[in-house]
Amino acid sequence: MNNQKSVSLVLGSGGARGYAHIGVIKELIKNGYKIKSISGSSIGALIGGLYAAGKLDEYEEWILNFDIFDVLKLVDFSFSTNGMIKADKVFKKIEGMIGDIKIEDLPISFTATATDIINRKEVWLQKGSLKDAIRASISIPTVFTPIKINKRELFDGGILNPLPLIPTISEFTDLIIAVDLNSSINIKKEHQYLFEKQEKSIKENITNFFQKNIKKKESLGYFEIINKSIETMQEVISRHQLASHQPDIMINISNKACEFYDFHKAKELIEYGSIITKETLKNKD
């Protein structure tokens, strides 16, 4: 392997599994790859934007201390017709990390994808406010309220493009590396320990109790229906995109690693992303 290879990195959408992107980025840097371009959709735009702004370590430190109660405290319900959650609390924290930096002032090329539902168009955000671009890209319809940019209400980039390969094709880099968070592959037996750790803290025991009882429900709840619908849609779209545009290196994160909304599992998912990347690169040698 040539340790000096430059990379255009494609970070896909997939909710909490996006934490695996952090492990992917850390492993690529550890192996000497130079990330010169990032194209991200939804959580991929968030992680990619934070990395491009030099704030990924700060973000990682923050999320590693999350438990399920911390996640719930960050949820601010709006009950508006546009979405149930404003996400203002989360974005106030993220905005404090990245400030008012513009995409064109970042040290690397960056694209966040969003969706203009009214005009049924995919939108590439490649200039202007980084925080606004990220906010638009993660706005899941009916869940998060959208953001208006240039008089258009923009929603989650994963609606039309969960794995935005096209923005990277014109970049002058040696490799395109894509990270698919919606792969239907099973988690290998040797990796299952990551998601079977039994924590003894009171908070973790309470978390396990609630999760166990939720799973016993015979019918799907509102968020579970949205979750399953989004994941099914994104898996199918990603499959079609990969049939026509193949990256040089494909890093597949199993969609069974966690539920879309398991944002309290950062440690396990970051480690999983790192392990999968290490194995993928080793197989490419």
Side-chain angles (χ1 to χ4, degrees):
M1 181 184 73
N2 184 345
N3 285 343
Q4 300 303 312
K5 284 190 174 180
S6 60
V7 171
S8 290
L9 184 61
V10 181
L11 301 178
S13 62
R17 287 191 300 279
Y19 286 153
H21 287 322
I22 299 174
V24 171
I25 290 172
K26 292 170 73 172
E27 197 62 35
L28 289 175
I29 294 169
K30 183 178 175 182
N31 279 270
Y33 289 94
K34 185 174 179 59
I35 300 170
K36 297 188 70 175
S37 167
I38 292 178
S39 175
S41 178
S42 196
I43 188 71
L46 172 61
I47 301 300
L50 285 162
Y51 173 75
K55 300 298 181 180
L56 190 57
D57 288 344
E58 184 179 345
Y59 177 78
E60 181 184 2
E61 184 180 349
W62 179 47
I63 61 173
L64 281 174
N65 292 312
F66 277 3
D67 61 26
I68 197 166
F69 299 106
D70 295 316
V71 173
L72 290 173
K73 278 187 237 176
L74 287 167
V75 173
D76 43 345
F77 290 96
S78 70
F79 297 108
S80 74
T81 56
N82 288 333
M84 292 181 63
I85 301 170
K86 289 189 294 184
D88 287 349
K89 293 178 183 176
V90 174
F91 259 83
K92 192 169 288 185
K93 180 71 175 180
I94 293 172
E95 183 178 339
M97 292 180 190
I98 64 177
D100 291 321
I101 190 168
K102 293 186 180 299
I103 294 173
E104 54 266 40
D105 294 330
L106 294 171
I108 65 176
S109 176
F110 177 76
T111 302
T113 64
T115 303
D116 179 349
I117 289 181
I118 302 302
N119 295 303
R120 301 180 182 181
K121 291 181 178 179
E122 178 183 341
V123 178
W124 293 0
L125 299 167
Q126 297 174 313
K127 62 181 180 178
S129 168
L130 174 62
K131 61 181 175 61
D132 286 351
I134 293 171
R135 177 69 177 82
S137 192
I138 68 162
S139 296
I140 303 168
T142 75
V143 179
F144 294 111
T145 51
I147 185 172
K148 188 171 283 189
I149 298 177
N150 295 329
K151 299 181 180 180
R152 292 186 294 185
E153 284 196 332
L154 299 180
F155 287 87
D156 195 289
I159 297 170
L160 291 179
N161 200 344
L163 195 64
L165 289 156
I166 302 297
T168 64
I169 290 177
S170 61
E171 298 287 347
F172 293 101
T173 55
D174 298 315
L175 296 170
I176 296 176
I177 299 179
V179 187
D180 182 11
L181 301 179
N182 297 292
S183 174
S184 58
I185 62 171
N186 290 319
I187 297 174
K188 293 181 181 179
K189 188 175 291 185
E190 60 266 33
H191 301 154
Q192 289 176 357
Y193 75 93
L194 288 169
F195 308 101
E196 294 173 351
K197 292 177 181 177
Q198 296 296 318
E199 302 291 344
K200 295 183 178 180
S201 71
I202 294 175
K203 285 186 176 181
E204 280 294 333
N205 285 332
I206 293 173
T207 298
N208 292 337
F209 172 80
F210 278 118
Q211 289 178 334
K212 185 177 179 181
N213 280 275
I214 288 171
K215 288 177 182 178
K216 285 183 178 178
K217 289 182 180 179
E218 292 182 4
S219 59
L220 292 173
Y222 178 80
F223 282 104
E224 290 170 297
I225 291 171
I226 293 175
N227 171 35
K228 298 299 181 186
S229 300
I230 291 172
E231 293 201 331
T232 300
M233 174 188 72
Q234 292 185 345
E235 183 183 341
V236 171
I237 294 174
S238 294
R239 204 159 53 226
H240 283 291
Q241 287 173 324
L242 288 169
S244 57
H245 298 91
Q246 276 289 331
D248 298 292
I249 297 176
M250 187 77 235
I251 297 173
N252 292 302
I253 302 297
S254 173
N255 59 15
K256 301 171 185 65
C258 75
E259 297 292 344
F260 194 85
Y261 44 77
D262 281 341
F263 288 99
H264 58 293
K265 296 183 178 180
K267 183 178 180 182
E268 298 95 317
L269 291 161
I270 292 170
E271 187 175 348
Y272 182 56
S274 178
I275 289 171
I276 297 299
T277 303
K278 188 182 298 182
E279 291 184 354
T280 303
L281 295 179
K282 184 178 179 181
N283 292 334
K284 288 292 179 182
D285 285 347

